[in-house]
Amino acid sequence: MGMTKQRAAILSIVRNFNGHPTVEDIHALAKERFAHIGTGTVYRNLNILSDGGTIRRVQIPNQPVRYDKMLSEHEHIVCVKCGGVADIPSLELDLGKLPADVDVLSHSLFVYCICKDCLKQNRRPD
């Protein structure tokens, strides 16, 4: 499939977003350029882009699907208070310790934390 104007705009939104946008984030920004773009169009194009390896789909348990512009191997840190997601360098898991009779296709790891902004909000003034 070719790169339509809408698909190019959606790709640009993901690549320029500061973080890991949800479909709702992407749809809101796409509507600024294409007033009548539907959520279904955004979903369809995100699926094409992620299935094609142009962007990465990130499925965090109990959160909406997010999209990631970084394709290299890396992990994610997730704040349990605000739901924020950030990249962390690959932890270089020793996949050699897995049984020899399995074929690893991919892996994902989420490190759960309370982010620095949420920690600041919970501190009491001296």
Side-chain angles (χ1 to χ4, degrees), residues 5 14 21 30 34 36 45 54 67 69 73-74 77 79 81 85-86 88 104 114:
K5 290 180 185 177
V14 173
F34 302 99
H36 300 292
N45 282 288
T54 306
Y67 293 88
K69 60 189 161 213
E73 288 299 321
H74 66 283
I77 192 163
C79 179
K81 293 252 186 213
V85 178
I88 54 175
V104 176
I114 299 175

Side-chain angles (χ1 to χ4, degrees), residues 9-124:
I10 290 167
L11 177 58
S12 177
I13 289 167
V14 173
R15 286 185 172 162
N16 293 304
F17 197 89
N18 185 18
H20 299 75
T22 64
V23 171
E24 291 76 19
D25 296 327
I26 297 164
H27 182 244
L29 292 168
K31 282 184 74 77
E32 292 175 7
R33 182 157 177 206
F34 302 99
H36 300 292
I37 192 169
T39 308
T41 300
V42 174
Y43 271 108
R44 186 170 44 260
N45 282 288
L46 287 169
N47 284 335
I48 290 168
L49 291 167
S50 58
D51 291 347
T54 306
I55 60 175
R56 179 182 281 190
R57 185 182 298 117
V58 179
Q59 179 62 63
I60 300 167
N62 304 313
Q63 283 204 16
V65 173
R66 294 174 178 267
Y67 293 88
D68 194 344
K69 60 189 161 213
M70 188 184 305
L71 299 176
S72 61
E73 288 299 321
H74 66 283
E75 315 310 334
H76 294 95
I77 192 163
V78 181
C79 179
V80 297
K81 293 252 186 213
C82 68
V85 178
D87 294 326
I88 54 175
S90 179
L91 299 175
E92 298 185 19
L93 300 174
D94 185 359
L95 298 178
K97 293 185 178 179
L98 294 174
D101 57 349
V102 300
D103 186 13
V104 176
L105 302 176
S106 68
H107 75 277
S108 63
L109 174 72
F110 302 104
V111 177
Y112 294 92
C113 69
I114 299 175
C115 72
K116 64 181 179 181
D117 293 334
C118 289
L119 283 172
K120 285 180 189 175
Q121 291 176 1
N122 289 335
R123 289 200 176 125
R124 294 184 183 156

